[in-house]
């Protein structure tokens, strides 16, 4: 299971990426929207491709899209078949393409939409952990911190709230804080993802990422935890199924 991927941003077609992933044993993917347009496309993919699900959202890099019409569009898309979450949304103080207040205003609105629609949230947070956690105090449903990059303190705080933590290829890079403390993550809240086309894991780092590469991240995490690769793959797939309520037998 690749619990966070961007099928519309790959060099290969969504069909090819999903087929290759299935051949590598990755049976389902959650495609994630970053703006109204690609969320709409993603919803369409989820409705016509088996084992493809979608989250619809506005990435903090696109906070300028924030408008009443955009939020209404997301609410409409959220009702489409195969749409399983709102996201990605959140705060990015690293690239900070929009002022913090603008990012936060959008983020708060989507959190409240998720509450109204009773949907899980997929969160992007970069160099903004404390403010992200502050906004998320308002979230009543399940939360996924995607591409989680925190260390011991962040893992503990997120775990206290029962949040799911999505580990992407960067956990396999030398010096990853998260890799050192991966054993502190509740096994029932652990997810693996590619965030393709970004963040290719070792040993395919440097090449454009694709959903099948989630197997490398899963293998790395399994080794860190001292569990079998198969066991880790099954556990993380079940966790994704549970948080996104996917109709999958696992
Ligand atoms: Zn992403």
């Amino acid at each position: 299971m690749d619990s966070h991927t961007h099928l519309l941003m790959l060099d290969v077609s969504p069909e090819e990426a999903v087929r290759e992933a299935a051949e590598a044993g990755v049976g389902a993917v959650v495609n994630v929207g970053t703006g109204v347009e690609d969320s709409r496309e993603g919803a369409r993919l989820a409705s016509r491709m088996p084992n493809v699900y979608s989250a619809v959202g506005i990435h903090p890099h696109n906070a300028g899209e924030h408008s009443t019409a955009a939020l209404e569009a997301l609410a409409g898309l959220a009702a489409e078949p195969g749409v399983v979450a709102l996201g990605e949304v959140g705060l990015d103080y690293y690239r900070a393409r929009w002022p913090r207040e603008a990012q936060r205003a959008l983020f708060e609105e989507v959190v409240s939409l998720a509450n109204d629609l009773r949907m899980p949230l997929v969160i992007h947070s970069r160099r903004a952990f404390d403010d992200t956690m502050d906004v998320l105090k308002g979230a009543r449903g399940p939360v996924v911190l995607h591409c989680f990059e925190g260390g011991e303190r962040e893992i503990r705080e997120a775990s206290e709230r029962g949040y799911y933590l999505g580990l992407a290829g960067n956990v396999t890079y030398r010096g990853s804080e998260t890799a050192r403390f991966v054993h502190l993550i509740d096994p029932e809240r652990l997810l693996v993802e590619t965030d393709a086309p970004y963040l290719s894991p070792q040993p395919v780092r440097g090449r454009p990422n694709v959903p099948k590469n989630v197997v490398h991240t899963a293998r790395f995490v399994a080794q860190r935890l001292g569990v079998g690769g198969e066991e880790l793959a099954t556990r993380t797939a079940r966790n994704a199924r549970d948080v996104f309520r996917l109709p999958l037998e696992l």
Side-chain angles (χ1 to χ4, degrees):
M1 168 84 64
D2 181 358
S3 64
H4 187 117
T5 195
H6 300 283
L7 290 175
L8 298 160
M9 297 181 190
L10 308 178
D11 291 340
V12 296
S13 69
E15 288 76 11
E16 191 176 341
V18 169
R19 184 176 48 74
E20 282 180 0
E23 283 167 10
V26 180
V29 305
V30 179
N31 174 72
V32 179
T34 60
V36 173
E37 257 333 290
D38 74 337
S39 291
R40 187 169 285 132
E41 277 291 305
R44 219 170 279 154
L45 285 183
S47 72
R48 70 176 169 79
M49 292 176 71
N51 300 320
V52 174
Y53 303 92
S54 268
V56 296
I58 301 174
H59 192 288
H61 287 347
N62 300 325
E65 277 192 34
H66 185 187
S67 69
T68 307
L71 291 165
E72 281 169 4
L74 290 187
L77 291 171
E80 298 283 326
V83 175
V84 295
L86 292 183
E88 52 190 294
V89 295
L91 301 172
D92 193 315
Y93 295 170
Y94 180 65
R95 298 214 194 269
R97 295 211 188 136
W98 295 91
R100 292 180 179 196
E101 304 71 49
Q103 296 186 36
R104 186 169 171 133
L106 168 64
F107 184 17
E108 286 173 348
E109 296 253 28
V110 179
V111 167
S112 110
L113 184 60
N115 290 340
D116 292 346
L117 300 176
R118 299 176 186 278
M119 289 185 96
L121 281 160
V122 175
I123 304 301
H124 172 102
S125 175
R126 196 138 185 231
R127 306 270 170 91
F129 183 77
D130 292 337
D131 284 0
T132 299
M133 293 295 277
D134 191 47
V135 173
L136 287 173
K137 278 183 192 150
R140 291 201 294 272
V143 169
V144 175
L145 300 183
H146 122 80
C147 195
F148 182 77
E149 58 177 8
E152 187 174 8
R153 174 178 78 90
E154 291 83 1
I155 291 174
R156 288 192 194 283
E157 288 186 22
S159 301
E160 271 167 30
R161 296 204 199 164
Y163 293 170
Y164 288 78
L165 302 182
L167 303 185
N170 51 337
V171 78
T172 70
Y173 301 169
R174 190 194 301 265
S176 161
E177 248 324 74
T178 310
R180 288 179 55 210
F181 297 104
V182 83
H183 56 279
L184 296 178
I185 300 174
D186 177 352
E188 300 204 339
R189 291 291 183 272
L190 179 62
L191 302 172
V192 287
E193 59 172 65
T194 58
D195 202 20
Y198 311 109
L199 297 171
S200 294
Q202 299 287 12
V204 292
R205 189 174 184 183
R207 288 181 239 166
N209 203 2
V210 283
K212 70 176 177 188
N213 289 337
V214 76
V215 299
H216 298 297
T217 303
R219 206 171 292 149
F220 175 89
V221 174
Q223 276 167 5
R224 281 282 160 149
L225 293 174
V227 302
E230 199 61 30
E231 184 188 335
L232 195 278
T234 305
R235 184 185 294 166
T236 50
R238 282 190 183 142
N239 293 343
R241 176 199 62 188
D242 294 348
V243 66
F244 296 125
R245 290 176 285 190
L246 308 180
L248 296 176
E249 302 252 349
L250 292 166

